[in-house]
Amino acid sequence: MTTYQEEFQRSLDDPAAYWLERAKDVHWSTPPSQGIDSSRSPLNTWFADGEINACYNALDVHVENGRGDQPALIHDSPVSSSQSTLSYRELLDQVALFAGVLKASGIDRGDRVMVYMPMIPQAVIAILACARIGAVHTVVFGGFAAKELAIRIDDCSPKVIVSASCGIEPGRIVEYEPLVAEAMQLASNKVDSCIVFQRSQCQWPIVEGRDQDWDTSMASATPSDCVPLRSTEPLYILYTSGTTGSPKGVVKDIGGTVVSLKWTMSSIYNVKPGDVYWAASDIGWVVGHSYIIYGPLFQGCTTVMYEGKPVGTPDAGAFWRVIEQHKVKVLFTAPTAFRAIKRVDPNGEMLKDYDLSSLQALYLAGERCDPDTLQWAQDKLKVPVIDHWWQTETGYAICANCQGIEALPIIAGSPSVAVPGYDVQVLNSEAERMPAGEIGSIVVKLPLPPGTFINLWGAEDRFKSAYFERFPGYYETGDAGFIDENGYVFVMARTDDVINVAGHRLSTGAMEEALSNHPDVAECAVMGVHDELKGQLPVGLVILNDGCTRPHEDITAELIKQVRNSIGPVAAFKLVAVVDKLPKTRSGKILRGTLRSIADSTDWKMPATIEDPTVLEDITQSLRSLGLAREPA
Ligand code: COA
Ligand code: AMP
């Protein structure tokens, strides 16, 4: 067995040879002869002369190799009181049929298909059907509002939207038709049609000439076969928050995604074909793309798709029930889910009702994992709890304790060491390497390994300037932290205006845009403050226009509604206060770091550059009215 150090070193010494070797583990129509082509760096070009199909690697290959009757997808939905299982053969049949529906709707190789769906098997079917025919899927999380959908429609001009009649949140049905109709209205790009799966909880009112019913279309469809595609063609676009209101359309290629994700299943997660793998996330996030859908299916695992919450559906034992019932071997979720369970059941009483003997390990990601949560999970589950760090841009972990290579000691507060393929370094603003233990910008020396983003959709300049300009020769992760003397990486905070709410990556810039659109708002700032459950919560401070005499409560209520309507409920924007002034530097920059420290009641120093220190008194009072900036005990 190789050790982690050997494996890691080999991946850096000759990346092309290392990954070409791993590429042999997947099915190619034409195997690649070349690893990476660095001639257009930082554009990431892996396996350029290979031909491949992601859907074939997820489904057909397993049916051909005798796994046809094995469960491929278990849908477990406490919110709709239903469960169902599709075998590899059944899933393949459905996917091939839906690929036929897409074809019949005029969708071809390279066309974009928007998927705006709840956590139901039809979402997986639609996504894999796109991959089957070479269409590029772009999934939008159900918690985003119409305007966010419209922004994405305008950015990647999908030909069709695949949707469902509703999502189900505890205590409320989220009807999708009004959101999709409004988005189509708002967008400048016109979408040809919608294909809609009707759920029994609510009906999508079919509009003639625009909408097709899923079941009707499937009934008359002709199954469509896998198309061999160039490895470098786009598999999907997934939008993620950047510093501005316009999200970044992260593009993943086909070959890199198949090779890297299949490899992570054995090397990071230590799961084998036939094992049950459960990523308790959502298909709208990268975790869902990589580990509800692609990774487990590439590996021939059974994947669990859970439509519910960690608590309240019906109780804090929900996760344990799913593990016992489906014999889950690996669970992957965000620390916030465990904080939610711990809050309701601090002593883990509910665990006693379930047999968790199938569970081999718990993986956490999406936000910094506080040592308390890690410790609690370890004590209660009695399995290794592995914090690992990654991003939409990378598609899988940059740092992890790779259980399939070598289980290293777990150090609370660190997602462990760099995953093979990632030369992780910490630099100061002069691009000099920081000594062990000192904080700086976390970067990855180029080339990035396969499966990481190849571009931003239609925005090559932004791709280059946002990620590769500040530190030439490196990928700038946007996270700050340090590496200790043993190579353990500690990811501490973002270096930009991105915040992380319940494991969801959100842009304060987008929220500021939404607030600025209110007619009474002259200026505003949104920052992320610490929250016990969700990690961070957004807080808005607004200055009103001169002469505005309306009651502040009315305006703040409108602002909360405005952010919810424009970004969506997922923004969890509920804290906003009116202030007279914002603290700024003499050059006019808002002192967000100071604001955050005051709100979080942590130690802070008066910034030397502040224009008017008296402003902070007023701000502190306003933050106290929101339950923040507590006075020292
Ligand atoms: N469609 C529509 N609305 C949605 C939604 C969806 N798919 N997902 C969330 N929302 C809504 C919620 O109903 C909530 O609305 P509300 O303001 O009316 O209550 C709002 O968006 C905020 O959602 P969320 O941040 O998820 O909070 P919550 O209170 O519903 O649940 C947790 C809190 C911790 C239980 C939940 O965030 C969770 O399970 N997190 C797991 C982390 C995770 O999946 N991370 C993904 C990356 S790994
Ligand atoms: P996303 O692109 O939505 O996956 O969010 C990526 C961001 O989430 C990273 O840049 C980090 O800021 C944060 N993040 C993800 N995983 C971790 C982790 N294990 N530890 C600390 N931060 C994390």
Side-chain angles (χ1 to χ4, degrees), residues 316-379:
F319 272 26
W320 322 141
R321 195 250 324 140
V322 174
I323 294 171
E324 176 187 281
Q325 191 177 344
H326 306 303
K327 305 208 169 21
V328 171
K329 189 167 175 188
V330 161
L331 166 62
F332 177 172
T333 191
T336 191
F338 266 72
R339 286 197 296 270
I341 296 171
K342 181 175 151 216
R343 194 152 85 158
V344 177
D345 182 19
N347 298 321
E349 295 295 333
M350 304 208 72
L351 276 157
K352 298 188 183 119
D353 300 337
Y354 299 96
D355 171 9
L356 303 192
S357 55
S358 63
L359 193 70
Q360 178 179 277
L362 165 69
Y363 288 77
L364 298 173
E367 60 184 315
R368 183 173 155 72
C369 180
D370 52 293
D372 271 2
T373 303
L374 186 102
Q375 199 64 52
W376 187 87
Q378 244 166 7
D379 289 349

Side-chain angles (χ1 to χ4, degrees), residues 53-57 60 92 128 131-134 224-229:
N53 186 289
C55 181
Y56 190 89
N57 276 279
D60 304 59
L92 171 58
L128 292 173
R132 193 166 186 83
I133 60 170
S224 203
D225 233 334
C226 284
V227 178
L229 300 158

Side-chain angles (χ1 to χ4, degrees), residues 116-119 141-144 167-170 172 174 176 179 280-282 285-288 308-311 319 332-341 364-367 390 500-505 533-534 537 564 568-574:
Y116 184 58
M117 293 182 100
M119 287 280 285
F141 176 60
F144 281 121
I168 308 169
E169 282 297 289
R172 106 189 126 92
V174 183
Y176 280 12
L179 295 166
S281 176
D282 189 286
W285 308 118
V286 68
V287 174
K309 304 264 172 181
V311 293
F319 272 26
F332 177 172
T333 191
T336 191
F338 266 72
R339 286 197 296 270
I341 296 171
L364 298 173
E367 60 184 315
W390 52 301
N500 205 308
V501 180
H504 311 318
R505 175 167 156 184
L533 173 65
K534 296 192 177 186
L537 275 181
R564 191 176 172 95
V570 68
F573 183 83
K574 292 179 182 162

Side-chain angles (χ1 to χ4, degrees), residues 240 286 364-369 387-393 415 477 479 491 494 500 503-505:
T240 191
V286 68
L364 298 173
E367 60 184 315
R368 183 173 155 72
C369 180
D387 175 16
H388 58 335
W389 166 57
W390 52 301
Q391 311 182 308
T392 305
E393 289 84 347
T477 65
D479 282 307
V491 183
R494 292 285 304 188
N500 205 308
H504 311 318
R505 175 167 156 184

